[in-house]
């Protein structure tokens, strides 16, 4: 199973919005709505920020939102803050009931 | 609150095996799968497989077939990852992560702190 495709890096200034894409296939992202996003700060475990394409766990700011179109999912962070600087990963369940991650996107807040 | 406590860091020689443990608390252990994910230094997340905590059934990523074994002990709410025939490429942080107490089984949600495994001679 190939990894999902994410841009290696994105950047934005405080207050701006950025969008991170995650491209897969009809066997994973396009299959159903089991797409999730994680935020990982250096030296820490990943933290779930979006699940089921659009849902936010309790405690995750509503500045984080998710969407999907076809085989591509997206994470949008609006009103960028310095604390959002991290690496973001997408994941999806596949038709084989395995899971696949994207390669990760480093977000830099300028 | 959900907690996953993993065993400590290990250093192994090439060819050896490791067994990492993950003790869960704060939810009904047998209700959700446990996943294992690893992260090599400076690299991304690599899904290794899951174990059905109730039945013990497993599903492994193709990359690890034949070298990985996932088990669990429901009497102590603990999952285990065994990886054999280690090489330097297996140097990584190994995470256990639950398959759903937070999201009703939809996704991989809570993560353990990780166990660093270093392979060198």
């Amino acid at each position: 199973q190939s990894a999902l495709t994410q841009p290696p890096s994105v950047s934005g200034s405080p207050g701006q919005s950025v969008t991170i894409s995650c491209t897969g296939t009809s066997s994973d992202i396009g299959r159903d709505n089991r797409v999730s996003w994680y935020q990982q700060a250096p030296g820490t475990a990943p933290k779930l920020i979006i699940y089921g394409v659009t849902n936010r766990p309790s405690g995750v700011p509503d500045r984080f939102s998710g969407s999907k179109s076809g085989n591509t999912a997206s994470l949008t962070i609006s009103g960028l803050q310095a604390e959002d600087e991290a690496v973001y990963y997408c994941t999806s369940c596949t038709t084989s009931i395995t899971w696949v991650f994207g390669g990760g996107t480093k977000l830099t807040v300028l | 609150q959900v907690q996953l406590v993993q065993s400590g860091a290990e250093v192994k020689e090439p060819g050896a095996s490791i067994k990492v443990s993950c003790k869960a608390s704060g939810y009904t252990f047998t209700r959700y799968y446990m996943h294992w994910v690893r992260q090599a230094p400076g690299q991304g997340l690599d899904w290794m497989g899951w174990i059905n905590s109730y039945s013990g059934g497993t599903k492994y990523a193709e990359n690890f077939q034949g070298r990985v074994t996932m088990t669990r002990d429901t009497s102590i709410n603990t999952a285990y990852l065994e990886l054999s025939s280690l090489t330097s490429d297996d140097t990584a942080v190994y995470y256990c992560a639950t398959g759903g107490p937070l999201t009703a089984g939809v996704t991989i949600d809570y993560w353990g702190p990780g166990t660093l495994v270093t392979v060198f001679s």
Side-chain angles (χ1 to χ4, degrees), chain A residues 22-104:
Chain A
C22 172
T23 301
T25 69
S26 57
S27 296
D28 37 65
I29 290 180
R31 168 180 176 261
D32 62 16
N33 287 336
R34 301 183 81 173
V35 177
S36 303
W37 291 89
Y38 303 87
Q39 177 190 63
Q40 187 178 35
T44 69
K47 172 190 171 186
L48 179 68
I49 56 173
I50 296 287
Y51 68 97
V53 179
T54 61
N55 300 292
R56 277 178 290 105
S58 174
V60 174
D62 60 7
R63 303 185 293 103
F64 293 87
S65 62
S67 62
K68 190 186 86 165
S69 177
N71 297 335
T72 298
S74 298
L75 171 71
T76 297
I77 309 170
S78 58
L80 268 180
Q81 298 182 5
E83 68 204 50
D84 299 332
E85 191 160 289
V87 180
Y88 293 83
Y89 294 93
C90 58
T91 191
S92 175
C93 188
T94 77
T95 51
S96 303
I97 319 301
T98 60
W99 290 77
V100 62
F101 284 93

Side-chain angles (χ1 to χ4, degrees), chain B residues 10-16 86-91 117-121:
Chain B
E10 301 212 42
V11 178
K12 295 288 185 180
E13 291 189 346
L86 294 172
T87 72
S88 57
D89 289 342
D90 294 314
T91 293
V117 175
T118 305
V119 182
F120 81 110
S121 53

Side-chain angles (χ1 to χ4, degrees), chain B residues 5 7 28 32 41 48-50 55 59 69 72 88 90 92 96 98 103 108 112 114 117:
Chain B
V5 178
S7 48
T28 302
Y32 301 104
M48 300 181 70
W50 54 250
S55 68
K59 184 80 169 182
T69 304
R72 92 280 186 242
S88 57
D90 294 314
C96 60
T98 60
T103 60
I108 301 168
V117 175

Side-chain angles (χ1 to χ4, degrees), chain B residues 33-114:
Chain B
Y33 290 12
M34 188 70 78
H35 297 258
W36 290 90
V37 179
R38 78 176 186 182
Q39 186 170 36
Q43 302 301 307
L45 302 173
D46 191 8
W47 182 82
M48 300 181 70
W50 54 250
I51 180 167
N52 180 321
S53 305
Y54 177 76
S55 68
T58 55
K59 184 80 169 182
Y60 302 139
E62 280 185 23
N63 291 350
F64 300 99
Q65 290 276 3
R67 281 208 304 143
V68 67
T69 304
M70 296 177 188
T71 57
R72 92 280 186 242
D73 184 339
T74 58
S75 69
I76 55 172
N77 292 350
T78 300
Y80 301 93
L81 168 73
E82 291 185 84
L83 188 63
S84 62
S85 303
L86 294 172
T87 72
S88 57
D89 289 342
D90 294 314
T91 293
V93 175
Y94 290 77
Y95 294 102
C96 60
T98 60
L102 178 62
T103 60
V106 169
T107 194
I108 301 168
D109 42 30
Y110 291 105
W111 293 66

